[in-house]
Amino acid sequence: MTAGLRLLALGLMACAASACSKPAPLATLQEKSGTVERDWAEQVRVWKVAELGTTFHLGDGLQTHAGAAARLLLDDGSQLSLQAETQVRFSDVAPAPHLLGFDVETGAASLQASGEPLSIQTRVGLARIEPGATVVFTRANESLRIVVEVGRAVFGASEPLVAGSGVRVLPDGELAPLAPPSPPRVEPPPAAPAIAAAGQQQQAEITARVRGRGATVRTEQGWSPLAEGPARLVPGTQLKLARRTSVELQRGQERAELFQNGQYVVAPRPDVLVAATEGSLAAGSEVTVRIAVPGGVIAVAPGGTVNVGVGKSGTTFDVQAREITFEGSGEPQRIRSGQRATLSGAGELSIQGRGLDHADVEISAGESVVIHDPAPPTAVRFRFDGVCPDSGVLQLRGGKAGQFAVGEGAVALAVGRGAQRYELRCGSDRARVVRQGKLSVLADDGSRRVAARAPATTLAADGHRYTVLYQNRLPVLTLTWPGAPELSSLLLAHEFEGKKQELILSQPRHTFESGSLREGRHAFFFTGGGKVSRHTRVEIQFDNAAPTATLDAAASGDIEPGDPLTISGIALPGWQVKVGEQLVVQDAQGRFSSPASWPSATRALAVRLSHPERGTHVYLRRPSSGQRVGRLP
């Protein structure tokens, strides 16, 4: 192999190479975070993205980039974990039966033995690792540092090594014991410095306050406990927190709180306060705070706060105040207060709470509107200028459960067919709803004809409950009594809003003409010859989904913002018509025709109909070609 030290570890191979057409894999990639790559013995140094489940054979290599990590399952059940910026290569020469060879070429890797003893053949002799023990191999120039973190191990002729002790293998193969671990320097933190300039901020001292007894820091000899209380830390300190332990970190005015079950690196470079490879933290202060995570860096704006969680499946950002900027492989992405983002292990960022960059129609937050759209879903822009002192959170309460968007002054969301409520909260007080309304989206191109006559319905007094819908004219309702006695005089009782009316009839049938029954809940029953029909209830309701207008054909062909066109149609009596912001005059039959121009702020032209009792209907006109034009600035 190369100048790197070769390590040979016992492996339980599935079969010898001579007995199989293809050798069993030496290792399998089980976990990764950040950018992890591999190469093959046939193409050394030609790195490709390593996918979970990929296997490794003789001569193959694996490397992790900055902020990344990986874990391999070896064929005997042991585990080999690679830290950030580490490169490991398996031997390109077939080892003796039941042996596995690999080199730690750069960085650091930890080997955790399975439930069986593990033996490693090195240049200094046979090394024996107890079951369950963990040993860390760190490349330092031409030498290799070996530290036992958990359990016991023996290397060559050295004395047994216990947790926290180790040896250095020199380039000539000689063993040199590492100095015994020294506890980290713990001092009372200095007084907080005055506000420093940007250049001075990077040189500020790093102070920590440890809460709990599960904090350890990595030294050259391994992991050493960090006592509870105040401490000073140097840049590059690797920090591990166990259960019920947290650390408040401060550098000048930069602040972050690190939580339990996490691994962190303090100030890995001057412009970053802390890097997290696992665990969770909260960050933010009066100045910009930069936090490194697998796959990139987040910059917390002054006055902002963010909760960060780093796990096996990716990293989550929950912005609590102001905003953060994520800096990854692509363009920087702003994530605002109230928004949540997830960064996958492959580096893909998805943001919840980011509104659309376009709209088909605009409404004021608090309105309740019926939208007639020939091609839903409809991109609705909710305006709330002056309502919230900072950002607003607009959330839909139906359809796509939990769909929301955060913005200043306005946000746009895609609203599907059907009825749903929406609520607006301000970013500074999310517990209080400041505006709310209801949207109903209908798949309607406006060509349905409005009703010219009152609807007519015949119902039997059979004890059922009925709902009768009407549009512009109240319904004609006929009631009958099937099986009524053959008498010359019958009585029809009618109850409405607590008042009772009785009608004497000559037959078991009566018709209420349009307008004689008001909107609301009515009750009816017949009596005669000692018999009583079943009590029947009828609810008369206005049909809010019915057309309130009929519009002429949509604009034909392609159309651009600012192009002139004419909107014409007919509306029901009592409805006010607006095209854009212009009030339209109707004739005695309700017909209208108005010049207009295609809008630039929305992709459709809105025809708004309003009624003092029936609410607001908005008809969207799209080009007949179906082209969606116009974008929000």
Side-chain angles (χ1 to χ4, degrees), residues 48 65 79 90 109 121 134 149 158 163 198 204 238 255 286 313 321 357 401 404 444 451 466 508 583 604 623 632:
K48 303 291 183 183
H65 286 235
Q79 297 182 23
F90 293 94
Q121 181 64 47
T134 300
E149 281 194 347
S158 69
Q238 297 184 48
R255 289 188 296 274
E286 300 84 0
S313 59
D357 64 352
F404 71 99
D444 179 18
Y466 295 96
L583 184 63
L632 289 179

Side-chain angles (χ1 to χ4, degrees), residues 146-381:
I146 305 174
V147 176
V148 177
E149 281 194 347
V150 179
R152 291 164 51 93
V154 176
F155 287 84
S158 69
E159 294 294 324
L161 303 176
V162 296
S165 60
V167 295
R168 185 185 299 274
V169 183
L170 303 176
D172 59 2
E174 292 295 322
L175 275 180
L178 294 175
S182 56
R185 183 162 57 109
V186 177
E187 302 176 9
I195 298 176
Q200 296 172 320
Q201 185 72 30
Q202 296 182 3
Q203 303 300 324
E205 192 170 28
I206 305 168
T207 62
R209 178 167 292 278
V210 182
R211 303 183 187 278
R213 300 180 180 180
T216 55
V217 295
R218 183 187 284 279
T219 66
E220 287 192 355
Q221 293 76 33
W223 290 94
S224 298
L226 182 62
E228 188 170 10
R232 287 193 179 103
L233 302 176
V234 297
T237 299
Q238 297 184 48
L239 184 63
K240 185 184 295 184
L241 303 183
R243 292 182 57 196
R244 300 179 181 177
T245 304
S246 63
V247 170
E248 294 179 6
L249 202 64
Q250 183 167 349
R251 180 177 63 180
Q253 288 183 289
E254 299 174 83
R255 289 188 296 274
E257 185 171 5
L258 317 180
F259 300 116
Q260 63 179 359
N261 301 325
Q263 295 190 44
Y264 312 92
V265 180
V266 177
R269 56 180 190 261
D271 65 331
V272 172
L273 175 61
V274 64
T277 57
E278 184 181 4
S280 58
L281 62 90
S285 70
E286 300 84 0
V287 298
T288 299
V289 180
R290 292 172 61 83
I291 308 294
V293 297
V297 172
I298 61 170
V300 188
T305 56
V306 63
N307 295 331
V308 180
V310 181
K312 296 177 181 179
S313 59
T315 303
T316 59
F317 311 110
D318 192 348
V319 184
Q320 300 295 308
R322 298 295 300 274
E323 65 179 30
I324 68 172
T325 301
F326 173 73
E327 303 166 3
S329 57
E331 292 292 324
Q333 297 289 322
R334 293 173 61 193
I335 308 169
R336 295 182 174 183
S337 173
Q339 294 180 336
R340 297 187 290 271
T342 301
L343 179 66
S344 70
E348 296 179 356
L349 184 70
S350 60
I351 301 176
Q352 290 181 290
R354 175 172 287 183
L356 303 175
D357 64 352
H358 60 269
D360 297 320
V361 62
E362 296 180 349
I363 69 171
S364 297
E367 283 190 281
S368 293
V369 178
V370 178
I371 298 174
H372 301 252
D373 187 353
T378 308
V380 180
R381 188 184 190 190

Side-chain angles (χ1 to χ4, degrees), residues 487-492 503-510 526:
L487 299 173
S488 59
S489 178
L490 297 171
L491 188 69
L492 172 61
L503 302 174
I504 298 176
L505 309 177
S506 60
Q507 57 181 347
R509 180 186 185 93
H510 180 72
F526 291 87

